[in-house]
């Protein structure tokens, strides 16, 4: 019997979401309906999550919870609470037929979580979703268009991969726009990609990070980054906490890049892939970032983002724009060094 708790990690969010959806669909098929939640560990108390898992609804027979940001779960008491719930649904002499009506999926964009948390999840229920290799991603993209009645020119395939975040969830979302703009049977060209994606690209923490480490002067990088920040904060679902979470994820990956290159100036393919750098785009991006921020500065930036995140949570969204603007200044102009005020 597989326990109703899973740990899915890694940067390939598309395949990760597909796997979680299979589990949700199986639960719904078994119990006819379920209460479904997508929660974030940074915003939700673990005791509240466990309470939802333990409480049976009078109207809905099952509960399905995705808890994202599992890498932030490090508190001993929180992990103990989860362990107690897992024990309660583990078959034993006293509990031969445990309830399977509550399912918890822990997710993280990182490739690992706290070892104490990982230890309480059965090995068979843990899976790392690595970023696809470039050739596999190209194949996935061509198949996605073909299944929807479209085709791609070779140059258009490369152009899409250059513009869209390197996971299948982002590719699926962005490429669906072509199906609304062109008739079935259309071959998407590089001109179409430029028209649909380049001019209408949605900004995110990942496009912001890309702008922060582009090959330009610090002043130019800051100006471009602040423009992207404004666009993000003007969107309807803008969330400063989620933005800082995305940025810290990028800089943690940069720390991983520094780590594998500290071991070898020319790391092998397996080392790069296992650290989440399967695509040419990711390698190029983090090579640029590594030339800007060394390992020590990267560690300082991760700490700086964490401090800014705590400030935003304390002071609320009202002052989040000021906090994030100062954060970008300290990262780009000061290389992670704290400053009490802007330099003249």
């Amino acid at each position: 019997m597989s326990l109703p708790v899973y740990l899915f990690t890694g940067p390939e969010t598309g395949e990760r979401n597909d796997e979680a959806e299979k589990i949700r669909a199986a639960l719904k098929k078994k119990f006819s309906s379920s209460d479904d939640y997508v929660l974030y560990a940074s915003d939700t108390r673990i005791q509240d999550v466990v309470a939802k898992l333990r409480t049976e609804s009078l109207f809905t027979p099952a509960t399905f919870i995705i808890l994202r940001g599992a890498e932030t779960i490090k508190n001993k008491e929180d992990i103990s609470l989860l362990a107690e719930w897992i024990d309660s649904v583990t078959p034993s002499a006293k509990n031969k037929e445990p309830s399977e009506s509550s399912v918890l999926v822990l997710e993280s964009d990182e490739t690992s979580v706290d070892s104490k948390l990982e230890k309480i999840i059965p090995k068979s229920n843990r899976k790392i979703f690595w970023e696809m290799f470039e050739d596999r991603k190209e194949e996935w993209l061509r198949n996605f268009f073909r299944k929807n009645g479209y085709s791609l020119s070779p140059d258009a395939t490369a152009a899409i991969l250059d513009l869209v975040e390197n996971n299948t969830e982002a590719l699926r979302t962005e490429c669906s726009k072509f199906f609304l703009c062109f008739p079935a049977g259309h071959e998407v060209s590089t001109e179409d990609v430029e028209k649909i994606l380049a001019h209408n690209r949605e900004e995110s923490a990942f496009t912001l990070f890309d702008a922060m480490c582009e090959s330009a002067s610090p002043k130019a990088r800051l100006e471009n980054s602040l423009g992207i920040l404004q666009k993000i904060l003007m969107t309807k679902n803008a969330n400063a906490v989620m933005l800082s979470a995305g940025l810290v994820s990028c800089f943690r990956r940069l720390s991983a890049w520094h780590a594998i290159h500290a071991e070898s100036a020319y790391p092998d393919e397996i080392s790069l892939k296992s650290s989440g750098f399967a695509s040419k785009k990711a390698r190029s991006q983090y090579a640029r970032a590594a030339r800007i921020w060394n390992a020590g500065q990267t560690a300082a930036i991760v700490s700086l983002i964490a401090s800014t995140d705590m400030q935003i949570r304390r002071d609320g969204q009202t002052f989040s724009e000021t906090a994030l603007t100062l954060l970008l200044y300290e990262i780009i102009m000061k290389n992670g060094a704290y400053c009490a005020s802007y330099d003249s």
Side-chain angles (χ1 to χ4, degrees), residues 51-247:
K52 289 181 185 295
L53 292 166
R54 289 185 181 277
T55 304
E56 294 185 5
S57 170
L58 294 174
F59 307 102
T60 312
T63 301
F64 177 78
I65 298 177
I66 291 176
L67 184 61
R68 292 178 174 163
E71 74 280 356
T72 65
I73 304 173
K74 299 180 179 181
N75 183 277
K76 184 179 178 180
E77 288 74 20
D78 288 342
I79 295 173
S80 294
L81 278 172
L82 289 172
E84 288 173 11
W85 173 73
I86 293 171
D87 285 343
S88 74
V89 296
T90 301
S92 64
K94 293 182 179 180
N95 192 26
K96 293 182 179 179
E97 295 295 335
S99 171
E100 297 178 314
S101 61
S102 295
V103 175
L104 174 64
V105 179
L106 298 164
E107 292 188 348
S108 173
D109 291 337
E110 306 296 323
T111 55
S112 63
V113 297
D114 188 281
S115 59
K116 295 187 293 296
L117 176 62
E118 183 175 301
K119 190 176 180 179
I120 67 174
I121 311 297
K123 188 175 181 180
S124 60
N125 288 22
R126 304 194 305 253
K127 186 173 181 180
I128 301 175
F129 293 83
W130 300 107
E131 186 175 310
M132 290 182 182
F133 280 121
E134 200 75 13
D135 56 349
R136 187 177 165 220
K137 205 172 296 179
E138 290 175 359
E139 180 184 1
W140 183 94
L141 200 55
R142 288 192 293 269
N143 287 338
F144 180 69
F145 273 80
R146 184 166 57 250
K147 288 176 183 177
N148 285 278
Y150 296 77
S151 60
L152 275 171
S153 71
D155 289 345
T157 304
I160 290 171
L161 292 176
D162 280 340
L163 286 170
V164 181
E165 185 188 337
N166 276 312
N167 66 72
T168 54
E169 182 71 11
L171 287 169
R172 185 184 290 116
T173 299
E174 291 299 306
C175 292
S176 294
K177 296 175 182 177
F178 291 103
F179 311 149
L180 300 174
C181 299
F182 299 104
H186 179 78
E187 181 181 69
V188 174
S189 65
T190 52
E191 290 78 12
D192 297 331
V193 174
E194 179 72 18
K195 184 188 303 179
I196 302 301
L197 296 186
H199 293 311
N200 298 286
R201 184 176 66 167
E202 292 185 6
E203 304 291 3
S204 66
F206 304 100
T207 61
L208 177 57
F209 176 75
D210 195 45
M212 292 166 71
C213 63
E214 63 188 7
S215 301
S217 68
K219 185 176 180 181
R221 288 189 287 118
L222 178 62
E223 184 177 345
N224 190 21
S225 299
L226 289 175
I228 293 173
L229 175 63
Q230 285 296 318
K231 290 180 182 178
I232 294 172
L233 294 178
M234 288 174 65
T235 59
K236 183 173 66 173
N237 298 317
N239 185 311
V241 171
M242 292 307 301
L243 178 58
S244 63
L247 281 178

Side-chain angles (χ1 to χ4, degrees), residues 328-341:
L328 295 189
Y329 179 83
E330 290 170 330
I331 293 174
I332 297 171
M333 303 301 293
K334 306 288 287 183
N335 291 326
Y338 173 82
C339 60
S341 60

